Amino acid sequence: MDSTMKSYLNQFRASANSFLSQYEPLALLLAPLLALVLARTLQLVLQLVHEKGLKATLLGLLMNSIKLVPGVKGYIAAEKQKVVDKLQSGSKSKREGWRTQLPITGLGIEVIQEMKDDKKNDVVWQGKCSGTVYIGGSESGGHFSLINEACSMFSHTNPLHLDVFPSIVRFEAEVVAMTAALLGSQEKASGGEICGNMTSGGTESILLAVKSSRDYMKYKKGITRPEMIIPESAHSAYDKAAQYFNIKLWRVPVNKEFQADVRAIRRHINKNTVLIVGSAPGFPHGIIDPIEELGAVASGFGICLHVDLCLGGFVLPFACKLGYSIPPFDFSVKGVSSISVDVHKYGLAPKGTSVVLYRNHEIRKHQFVAVTEWSGGLYVSPTIAGSRPGGLIAGAWAAMMSLGQEGYLENTKAIMEVSKKIQIGMKEIPELFIIGRPDMTIVAFGSNVVDIFEVNDIMSTKGWHLNALQRPNSIHICVTLQHVPVVDDFLSDLKESVQTVKENPGPLSGGLAPIYGAAGKMPDRVMVQELLVDFMDGAC
């Protein structure tokens, strides 16, 4: 048998050598290398198609090819700079005269007067901004004064030093516990282990939830190439988290009701999926995703589900008590593993206060960072920040304790009624349509008759600061207590602005409508991304 095999091998070697002898040695050397390069290129192209889709991949290749044409790249850069300059219009001139180093002699108490003088340059925001300031009344009294006093009383404190500032440690624990109680921790279905921490805002809360989910799923399932799936309406903080924590992000289109498309999300789940996401409500349109259905999917696949309640956390629980029809959204839903909720929005706490909550300690432990090999000693930190401002924690505690359930119920009733009044008023403007069916206090609207971004520019000239949206082109107002006394003014100005654009179509001089419109239609999203980065690079 061995001799037969040897004979076959000798014949094969002779045949192979005879066949290859007709080729140049250099060609034989380069052929495997070229084949390897070709295979690697094909692999990269297929990977791009898989991640971005065939259309986006072909478009990207086309745009990159066009940029190789002599002169085209320079022309695009010049045109891009024009857009950036327009976006930054006036900002560079405003920076002239700004200090670039410490004064030789300190200003002492006079610095307060300079700050007061500078503050006069801020725009009039009372009642005119979408979201932004959620507390009602004047900043010189009432609830503003209360939280300001609480913040200043504890401005020197830091919960990192547990043994030095036990008061702040208690305040944080109680803010977390009281927030959790609003979101189902007292329900039997929650499991009785809801826990969490305070953070600097919704973005940090989301970042921590994503990081914890990634590490928890690595621990539970051994996933080392993590992916997460979010609806198109989910907050951009998830894109940030994906970049920070090296997670593949799938952004799935919403359904016809502008909710998370549960079937589409299910189709994207694979062995590397660690997390899916729902919002209550979504920032763009104020619509609650089907959290129960998403919870069932998460439970079925044994993966995490994060619910973004940054906007709804201090409204929806009270809206339910007031009799509004609100679908399930909290830890009472099976499958919800974490929740983010901002206290500095409808919780009426000072800016820079949010809460991230987890169903149990097993998940939250993956949020922490512990260091044992540092010469500075043993170190453990619960959040992204090490040192944290105890004054803000104290301000959040003071806000919640001063208002109580009755205060939040009263506030929720007021803003929900204003939201409904705005929707009724918009339906009386035939050129406008409301996007979806808003569940809360965000009303998004567009138009098939006039350019909605031109309407936004006209509203800006009247002092209103609204949010421009895309997919579809629209704008929204996030109702706060500031809008309660001025809702009629808003509707009147909106009706007038629509009529102005209808009678005088065309961009307003100095307005941003052409830029918003062009950005929405621009097929090369990489170029739009570069525009935004260049704008930010010159603005801060």
Side-chain angles (χ1 to χ4, degrees):
M1 186 70 178
D2 288 341
S3 60
T4 305
M5 181 63 71
K6 202 175 210 181
S7 174
Y8 280 137
L9 286 174
N10 286 333
Q11 287 179 22
F12 174 76
R13 186 176 63 180
S15 298
N17 286 333
S18 174
F19 175 76
L20 294 172
S21 64
Q22 58 186 311
Y23 296 99
E24 291 285 339
L26 183 61
L28 294 175
L29 182 65
L30 292 176
L33 294 175
L34 291 173
L36 188 63
V37 170
L38 184 63
R40 178 57 178 162
T41 303
L42 183 61
Q43 182 187 28
L44 291 173
V45 170
L46 291 174
Q47 186 176 340
L48 274 174
V49 172
H50 176 65
E51 292 180 358
K52 298 183 177 182
L54 181 61
K55 183 179 177 181
T57 301
L58 292 175
L59 182 62
L61 291 172
L62 177 63
M63 293 304 298
N64 287 330
S65 300
I66 291 173
K67 290 175 185 177
L68 294 175
V69 177
V72 171
K73 189 174 183 179
Y75 173 78
I76 291 175
E79 291 301 307
K80 189 170 64 174
Q81 191 57 47
K82 289 179 184 178
V83 176
V84 172
D85 290 342
K86 186 165 185 178
L87 285 169
Q88 294 173 340
S89 57
S91 63
K92 290 183 179 179
S93 61
K94 290 175 185 175
R95 296 174 72 93
E96 291 177 7
W98 287 11
R99 290 185 180 86
T100 56
Q101 58 184 1
L102 279 169
I104 295 174
T105 303
L107 300 180
I109 193 67
E110 292 178 12
V111 72
I112 299 298
Q113 186 57 50
E114 181 167 334
M115 293 173 77
K116 287 180 179 178
D117 293 340
D118 222 32
K119 190 178 181 184
K120 293 175 183 176
N121 296 323
D122 292 347
V123 301
V124 178
W125 52 263
Q126 289 85 348
K128 292 283 190 175
C129 295
S130 172
T132 311
V133 179
Y134 292 77
I135 301 170
S138 167
E139 62 182 303
S140 60
H143 191 78
F144 274 104
S145 293
L146 183 143
I147 62 172
N148 286 341
E149 184 174 350
C151 286
S152 63
M153 193 187 307
F154 291 89
S155 63
H156 61 288
T157 65
N158 181 357
L160 184 67
H161 304 287
L162 304 174
D163 53 337
V164 182
F165 305 114
S167 57
I168 291 299
V169 174
R170 173 200 159 197
F171 292 157
E172 177 176 12
E174 291 191 0
V175 167
V176 170
M178 289 188 290
T179 304
L182 293 176
L183 302 176
S185 70
Q186 307 298 311
E187 301 291 330
K188 187 176 180 181
S190 74
E193 286 188 46
I194 307 301
C195 54
N197 292 91
M198 289 192 68
T199 72
S200 62
T203 292
E204 186 185 357
S205 291
I206 288 171
L207 289 174
L208 288 171
V210 172
K211 186 265 183 192
S212 303
S213 300
R214 180 198 68 174
D215 294 353
Y216 176 64
M217 295 306 292
K218 181 179 180 181
Y219 168 74
K220 291 286 286 186
K221 289 187 170 185
I223 297 174
T224 56
R225 299 180 65 184
E227 300 181 9
M228 65 175 168
I229 308 162
I230 67 174
E232 204 172 54
S233 55
H235 199 276
S236 54
Y238 297 101
D239 296 82
K240 187 179 287 188
Q243 291 185 37
Y244 284 0
F245 304 133
N246 195 27
I247 300 173
K248 169 60 188 167
L249 178 67
W250 295 101
R251 192 176 272 277
V252 178
V254 292
N255 61 23
K256 292 179 180 179
E257 286 75 40
F258 295 92
Q259 294 177 303
D261 189 328
V262 179
R263 277 192 245 179
I265 288 175
R266 187 188 288 111
R267 284 196 299 269
H268 278 77
I269 293 175
N270 59 45
K271 64 179 182 179
N272 292 319
T273 304
V274 297
L275 176 70
I276 60 175
V277 167
S279 303
F283 168 81
H285 313 121
I287 297 171
I288 298 174
D289 288 328
I291 305 302
E292 273 191 316
E293 294 179 48
L294 290 171
V297 171
S299 296
F301 283 92
I303 57 178
C304 295
L305 166 61
H306 179 75
V307 179
D308 180 359
L309 271 160
C310 289
L311 274 164
F314 281 85
V315 174
L316 296 180
F318 302 106
C320 288
K321 288 186 177 183
L322 290 169
Y324 285 92
S325 179
I326 306 293
F329 57 86
D330 58 18
F331 283 113
S332 62
V333 176
K334 182 182 178 182
V336 174
S337 55
S338 57
I339 286 175
S340 53
V341 51
D342 286 353
V343 197
H344 65 206
K345 288 190 172 76
Y346 291 106
L348 308 188
K351 288 298 180 184
T353 51
S354 180
V355 172
V356 58
L357 298 168
Y358 299 94
R359 183 170 287 275
N360 54 52
H361 292 270
E362 186 181 6
I363 304 173
R364 186 179 67 148
K365 284 179 181 177
H366 294 276
Q367 174 183 293
F368 305 154
V369 172
V371 181
T372 60
E373 304 301 321
W374 178 37
S375 60
L378 301 177
Y379 177 88
V380 61
S381 175
T383 62
I384 291 175
S387 293
R388 290 182 290 152
L392 295 181
I393 293 172
W397 184 85
M400 294 176 70
M401 291 295 292
S402 67
L403 289 165
Q405 292 190 36
E406 290 182 356
Y408 285 117
L409 279 168
E410 183 180 336
N411 291 339
T412 299
K413 183 179 180 181
I415 56 178
M416 289 293 281
E417 286 180 354
V418 168
S419 174
K420 297 302 178 187
K421 187 171 183 178
I422 287 175
Q423 292 178 57
I424 292 170
M426 285 183 180
K427 289 176 182 177
E428 294 175 356
I429 304 175
E431 294 82 5
L432 300 180
F433 63 84
I434 295 172
I435 294 179
R437 297 172 61 187
D439 288 302
M440 211 182 78
T441 52
I442 296 173
V443 185
F445 53 99
S447 176
N448 294 320
V449 179
V450 296
D451 187 326
I452 199 65
F453 295 138
E454 291 179 15
V455 173
N456 192 30
D457 281 344
I458 299 294
M459 288 292 282
S460 295
T461 67
K462 297 177 183 293
W464 297 97
H465 299 269
L466 307 178
N467 294 92
L469 313 172
Q470 59 180 349
R471 298 176 184 174
N473 288 349
S474 51
I475 52 181
H476 86 204
I477 180 169
C478 178
V479 176
T480 72
L481 290 172
Q482 288 286 331
H483 297 118
V484 174
V486 297
V487 60
D488 291 328
D489 294 338
F490 171 76
L491 290 170
S492 175
D493 284 348
L494 180 60
K495 186 175 183 178
E496 188 177 299
S497 298
V498 170
Q499 195 61 33
T500 298
V501 174
K502 187 176 181 181
E503 294 174 357
N504 304 279
L508 187 71
S509 177
L512 296 178
I515 293 175
Y516 282 125
K521 295 174 184 175
M522 197 177 292
D524 186 0
R525 307 314 290 173
V526 174
M527 189 179 296
V528 178
Q529 187 179 46
E530 290 172 353
L531 281 171
L532 293 175
V533 171
D534 288 346
F535 163 70
M536 183 54 64
D537 188 48
C540 63

